[in-house]
Amino acid sequence: MSKKVLTIREQTIFDGVITRYFLKSIFSLWFKLAGWKVTQATSHGAGVAIAAPHTSNWDFIYALGAAILQDTKIYFSIKDSWCRIPVIGNFMMWLGAIPIDRSSKGKGQVELINQFVVRQKDKKVFFLFTPEGTRSKTQKWKTGFYHVAQSCNIPIFLAKVDYRIKEAGVFHSFQITGEKEEDIQAIQASYKRVAGKFIALQFPPYEGALPKITDAEALVMKALYSFKGFATCVEISTKIKRQELASSVLAFLVDKGIVEETLSDQETGVASYQLTFLGKGCLLHLYPSLA
């Protein structure tokens, strides 16, 4: 006998009076007493949300609280076997579980979410992924989230639960370029600045808090990001609409490993600059979107 096909619930914990009033009040009080805050970046429409680093079951609780406080509906993928367990299965579906049948006869994850997105595209909905795929130590990410975003033509919302600064929520809306490896390296670099509950377990490894970056330095970084490669000081100055760019700004960024420098013209000694992956990762924290 074939198994009954499970469908994604339209109505979840995020709908109705209970969530809007009771749970929102509970999480608001909890965050306030525990000293936690929600990120200030705003997002619109449906998107794939990745939550990293994932080193504790508490990550989901904080992510859930941040979503409820920001009036955002989230869904997360889970093996369909969990959703078939009596009582527990119904509860998981009510929380927003997307039952995934990974057998050869089951629908693929991309197809399942793609069909659902058609009905949710204009709503504030996140399809949540934990790219590490485990709370244990790992050396790589699962990249299914990228294929889902690409197939469904939706952005990737970068979400975090940072235990060092006690902040949870989305910090950037990432528009994929189609250059998968470069996009993922830039995204991973941004998570090197997020402290998980158990830092020793997280991937990529934690490299400390975001360096202090001024508005002028952030503008230079944003300009370099738009060039998609090396640019001279004159080109950067033109991009940010300034007559002259202080050499100390570029020197600071090079010293911090945020920007790399090369000699573009041997005769004139003119240098060119481009963002490193570390720099791109930092930039994603500074602007909610770079589209």
Side-chain angles (χ1 to χ4, degrees):
M1 182 181 294
S2 61
K3 294 187 297 185
K4 177 184 177 182
V5 177
L6 297 174
T7 56
I8 305 172
R9 285 189 58 159
E10 296 279 354
Q11 298 294 313
T12 70
I13 190 175
F14 299 93
D15 301 293
V17 176
I18 292 178
T19 299
R20 285 202 304 268
Y21 297 103
F22 179 70
L23 287 179
K24 199 167 186 177
S25 298
I26 292 296
F27 276 112
S28 180
L29 179 61
W30 179 29
F31 271 46
K32 184 176 181 179
L33 292 176
W36 279 74
K37 58 183 180 291
V38 178
T39 56
Q40 296 302 307
T42 57
S43 53
H44 305 282
V48 168
I50 57 174
H54 181 41
T55 63
S56 167
N57 284 329
W58 283 100
D59 301 339
F60 178 74
I61 305 300
Y62 284 112
L64 179 65
I68 288 174
L69 291 173
Q70 292 184 318
D71 296 315
T72 302
K73 191 172 183 177
I74 64 173
Y75 285 91
F76 58 95
S77 61
I78 191 172
K79 290 182 180 179
D80 75 331
S81 57
W82 277 97
C83 298
R84 296 182 185 279
I85 300 174
V87 182
I88 292 176
N90 287 334
F91 180 69
M92 297 300 290
M93 298 285 283
W94 183 60
L95 284 177
I98 299 176
I100 302 298
D101 182 356
R102 292 187 173 91
S103 68
S104 59
K105 295 180 181 179
K107 293 183 178 180
Q109 192 166 357
V110 172
E111 180 187 351
L112 183 64
I113 295 178
N114 207 343
Q115 292 174 357
F116 189 67
V117 163
V118 171
R119 304 192 299 274
Q120 303 287 332
K121 199 142 189 175
D122 296 327
K123 300 177 182 178
K124 196 173 181 181
V125 177
F126 292 172
F127 299 99
L128 188 66
F129 289 78
T130 53
E132 291 149 295
T134 175
R135 298 187 306 278
S136 304
K137 183 70 174 178
T138 184
Q139 297 298 324
K140 63 180 181 179
W141 273 8
K142 296 180 183 298
T143 57
F145 69 89
Y146 191 92
H147 298 294
V148 172
Q150 191 169 41
S151 174
C152 299
N153 193 30
I154 52 180
I156 299 174
F157 296 128
L158 309 188
K160 65 180 180 180
V161 176
D162 194 319
Y163 289 83
R164 186 188 66 83
I165 60 175
K166 292 188 174 183
E167 186 174 69
V170 170
F171 63 90
H172 186 82
S173 177
F174 188 89
Q175 300 292 330
I176 63 175
T177 66
E179 299 293 334
K180 178 185 172 183
E181 294 304 320
E182 290 192 11
D183 284 349
I184 289 178
Q185 284 191 63
I187 292 171
Q188 286 182 333
S190 73
Y191 282 101
K192 292 181 179 181
R193 302 299 183 178
V194 180
K197 187 171 180 61
F198 301 107
I199 290 176
L201 297 179
Q202 69 184 69
F203 178 84
Y206 181 59
E207 293 190 358
L210 194 71
K212 299 291 185 182
I213 297 172
T214 66
D215 291 342
E217 291 156 357
L219 280 175
V220 170
M221 292 168 64
K222 189 176 183 182
L224 284 172
Y225 184 87
S226 69
F227 281 114
K228 308 297 182 184
F230 282 97
T232 65
C233 190
V234 172
E235 290 171 330
I236 299 169
S237 298
T238 302
K239 188 73 176 181
I240 62 177
K241 299 179 181 179
R242 293 189 180 178
Q243 292 184 343
E244 189 175 351
L245 177 62
S247 58
S248 59
V249 172
L250 287 168
F252 170 81
L253 295 175
V254 170
D255 181 63
K256 291 296 182 181
I258 292 171
V259 168
E260 62 177 304
E261 178 183 8
T262 187
L263 195 62
S264 58
D265 192 318
Q266 297 287 344
E267 294 184 1
T268 63
V270 174
S272 291
Y273 305 87
Q274 76 169 0
L275 281 178
T276 62
F277 281 114
L278 179 64
K280 291 178 181 179
C282 290
L283 186 65
L284 299 184
H285 285 278
L286 300 176
Y287 293 95
S289 176
L290 292 169

